[in-house]
Amino acid sequence: MTSANPSPAAAGSRQRPFTALYVHVPFCRRKCGYCAFYSLPNPAAERFHRWQQRLHGEFAEFAARCAPLASVFIGGGTPTLLPPAGLAALLADLRNNFILAPGAEVTSEANPETVTPEVAETLAAGGVNRVSLGVQSFQPDLRRTLDRAGDPAAAGTAVAALRQAGIDNLGADLIYAIPGQTPEQWRDDLHRALELGIAHLSTYALTREEGARLAPSFPPPDPDYEADLWELAETEAARYGLQRYEVSNFARPGHACRHNLDIWLGTAYLGCGPAACSFDGALRWSNPPDFDAWLADPVPREFDPLPPERRAAEILVFGLRTTTGWTRAGFRDRTGFDYLELRGPLLQRFQEQGLLEGLPEAVRPTPRGLLLHDHLAIDLL
């Protein structure tokens, strides 16, 4: 990584306009012990104000490099912790700086306990048409293990408020392989989330991430047990009409998260806010994970100038997180490389091992290949 700011010409011929936008809201009520995402707990009102002012400047800085946006994703932290007036101002600022493509997907993450009827109405009035609820678990003992505060029943209340406001495209995030979790508890969490009638489900194995306060206290994961729970999620989601479309994600037909799919498939995306990352088709960079550093003008961004071949291999690996994978023509169009010339012998070997299929004119993971994606990634990179 380097903090030098390469010129657009130096970035190479694959540079493209941004068609996706991520906005990081770095505020939350409290910092959960399992979480390593950059966030600031219990912020003062003055920090909200300074964040919105700086974000406005960052929008203006990059707006001219954006095509009509196919997707916007507002994440955190907890975007719905913003007071309704601040949330409305953020959504108005987005519309004033960027053009949204017809039918654009506009997502906000939300902690269920922060979704009041007023917040739900503010989201809908501001153009949000998709909400992802961070439930994590409904089990009181497992929530304590995660240091996750709040009442799990708030998920149902939030879903009702959002639907009343006119937002029907709803999803939930759950965590599995929590220390002490039983298969019965995981099945119950899945059922309780799916019974809410959600269209999208994300299931993540608990990770021991550097920077998470409780990570050192979590025992090492059991890969076989994690695999059992991973497969159980697919079985239970299918009973409610949701199909796996990516390693950790399930959706009803037509409800896959378009924002994330486009990023996995190498689209050019802009990230605004502290700790947010961007990719213009050739060069990737990130804002500092530090509120005060991000407030500086200019922002001290970190750039990641990978050679084009290495960048293409990275895009290949991310696309193989999805059940559809790549067509040969689509990968060539996106990266300028033929994947058989780039990693042909490895791809052939993985197909012979039953991890990939479809070669030569397509390449996609088998179910076992999805489960072992991390191992594929190590070799392909």
Side-chain angles (χ1 to χ4, degrees):
M1 296 282 286
T2 176
S3 58
N5 189 347
S7 68
S13 61
R14 304 304 300 178
Q15 188 183 54
R16 303 187 302 272
F18 302 112
T19 57
L21 170 66
Y22 174 77
V23 179
H24 189 66
V25 182
F27 307 120
C28 53
R29 281 183 172 172
R30 60 186 294 278
K31 188 76 172 178
C32 299
Y34 73 91
C35 178
F37 287 115
Y38 179 70
S39 63
L40 303 170
N42 195 26
E46 181 264 347
R47 283 207 159 183
F48 282 127
H49 179 66
R50 294 175 71 196
W51 170 78
Q52 288 196 295
Q53 282 188 317
R54 184 66 193 91
L55 193 68
H56 176 81
E58 199 163 27
F59 286 173
E61 178 183 358
F62 286 101
R65 292 185 58 184
C66 294
L69 296 173
S71 66
V72 176
F73 196 105
I74 305 168
T78 306
T80 45
L81 188 63
L82 294 173
L87 191 56
L90 167 62
L91 295 169
D93 206 13
L94 282 169
R95 294 194 305 272
N96 291 336
N97 281 278
F98 303 100
I99 298 171
L100 298 186
E105 176 189 86
V106 183
T107 300
S108 176
E109 291 184 329
N111 181 323
E113 292 203 324
T114 63
V115 182
T116 64
E118 185 180 6
V119 165
E121 290 164 7
T122 301
L123 291 171
V128 171
N129 52 29
R130 182 178 181 276
V131 173
S132 179
L133 296 165
V135 177
Q136 317 315 353
S137 178
F138 291 94
Q139 314 297 321
D141 58 330
L142 299 183
R143 292 175 69 87
R144 285 192 294 270
T145 298
L146 294 172
D147 187 35
R148 182 76 170 174
D151 181 0
T157 305
V159 165
L162 291 162
R163 288 196 172 123
Q164 181 65 32
I167 302 175
D168 295 316
N169 191 359
L170 304 176
D173 295 355
L174 296 176
I175 295 177
Y176 65 94
I178 303 167
Q181 183 183 39
T182 66
E184 291 73 26
Q185 287 178 312
W186 178 227
R187 185 179 286 106
D188 183 64
D189 272 352
L190 292 164
H191 285 176
R192 292 176 69 173
L194 292 162
E195 284 289 337
L196 295 172
I198 56 176
H200 191 278
L201 175 68
S202 298
T203 60
Y204 302 108
L206 178 65
T207 54
R208 284 74 176 161
E209 293 190 59
E210 184 179 351
R213 178 166 46 84
L214 291 182
S217 68
F218 292 142
D222 178 339
D224 291 335
Y225 185 59
E226 285 192 5
D228 289 343
L229 299 184
W230 185 84
E231 292 173 350
L232 180 59
E234 184 159 15
T235 300
E236 298 303 323
R239 294 178 56 199
Y240 290 82
L242 282 70
Q243 300 298 320
R244 189 188 298 276
Y245 70 94
E246 190 268 347
V247 171
S248 302
N249 288 276
F250 307 83
R252 297 184 188 278
H255 288 83
C257 179
R258 285 184 274 151
H259 180 86
N260 286 343
L261 266 177
D262 283 347
I263 288 175
W264 292 320
L265 296 175
T267 196
Y269 60 89
L270 173 64
C272 294
C277 296
S278 302
F279 174 59
D280 67 4
L283 185 66
R284 186 173 57 220
W285 63 89
S286 58
N287 288 340
D290 179 280
F291 188 80
D292 292 327
W294 173 72
L295 291 175
D297 188 12
V299 177
R301 298 185 173 103
E302 292 287 329
F303 288 82
D304 183 18
L306 287 182
E309 181 176 323
R310 179 65 185 269
R311 183 71 71 203
E314 185 181 75
I315 293 171
L316 172 64
V317 164
F318 274 107
L320 291 177
R321 292 184 61 89
T322 69
T323 56
T324 53
W326 292 101
T327 65
R328 193 172 181 182
F331 184 77
R332 187 185 295 113
D333 180 66
R334 181 53 52 93
T335 67
F337 287 84
D338 184 310
Y339 55 59
L340 291 180
E341 295 175 2
L342 186 71
R343 295 290 189 270
L346 277 173
L347 295 174
Q348 293 283 358
R349 189 182 86 198
F350 289 140
Q351 179 159 285
E352 291 165 4
Q353 293 173 350
L355 302 176
L356 299 176
E357 61 186 10
L359 292 171
E361 296 307 315
V363 61
R364 56 188 173 270
T366 63
R368 183 165 173 263
L370 276 178
L371 177 60
L372 298 177
H373 177 269
D374 287 349
H375 301 284
L376 294 178
I378 290 169
D379 285 349
L380 288 169
L381 289 173

